[in-house]
Amino acid sequence: QVQLVESGGGLVQPGGSLSLSCAASGLFFSSSVMGWYRQAPRNQRELVATITSGGSANYADSVKGRFTISRDNVKNAVYLQMNNLNAEDTAVYYCRALTSGYIYWGQGTQVTVSS
């Protein structure tokens, strides 16, 4: 059974930083494409960043230069370092795994950027 468990969300002031973590189990993590997506109220879920098994990263234009995705194939974890946050980054952030043609989602973690 594949499980993705996010952590690290919370409330942060504009300009602040947060680091999200996603612990994965039940899948061949090292061969999976991992990603972070987000969904704000009344919006569709959107890509934030993805990282391949080899460590190649891809980012949404809105987060380039501010967010960094990384992975640890020993700990079966993927991370999202978010810097210089603004109100538009407020959303539920979801971890996603693409493995063997299947997509799995975590339960999400809330990130709120507000003064």
Side-chain angles (χ1 to χ4, degrees), residues 2-6 21-37 47-59 68-73 75-80 94-100 102-106:
V2 175
Q3 285 194 316
L4 302 173
V5 180
E6 302 99 334
S21 299
C22 172
S25 60
L27 75 168
F28 292 105
F29 182 85
S30 61
S31 62
S32 300
V33 178
M34 301 300 298
W36 287 97
Y37 288 70
L47 167 74
V48 176
T50 60
I51 187 166
T52 68
S53 57
S56 295
N58 179 59
Y59 297 92
T68 302
I69 189 171
S70 61
R71 66 189 294 159
D72 187 329
N73 289 339
K75 295 182 177 179
N76 285 4
V78 61
Y79 308 98
L80 186 68
Y94 296 90
C95 178
R96 191 191 87 154
L98 172 61
T99 182
S100 302
Y102 292 90
I103 294 173
Y104 301 93
W105 295 93

Side-chain angles (χ1 to χ4, degrees), residues 59-115:
Y59 297 92
D61 287 342
S62 59
V63 307
K64 281 180 181 177
R66 301 188 299 122
F67 291 11
T68 302
I69 189 171
S70 61
R71 66 189 294 159
D72 187 329
N73 289 339
V74 174
K75 295 182 177 179
N76 285 4
V78 61
Y79 308 98
L80 186 68
Q81 176 64 41
M82 305 184 293
N83 299 325
N84 194 21
L85 287 158
N86 57 60
E88 288 69 39
D89 297 315
T90 295
V92 178
Y93 283 70
Y94 296 90
C95 178
R96 191 191 87 154
L98 172 61
T99 182
S100 302
Y102 292 90
I103 294 173
Y104 301 93
W105 295 93
Q107 82 287 351
T109 185
Q110 177 70 46
V111 171
T112 302
V113 184
S114 175
S115 56

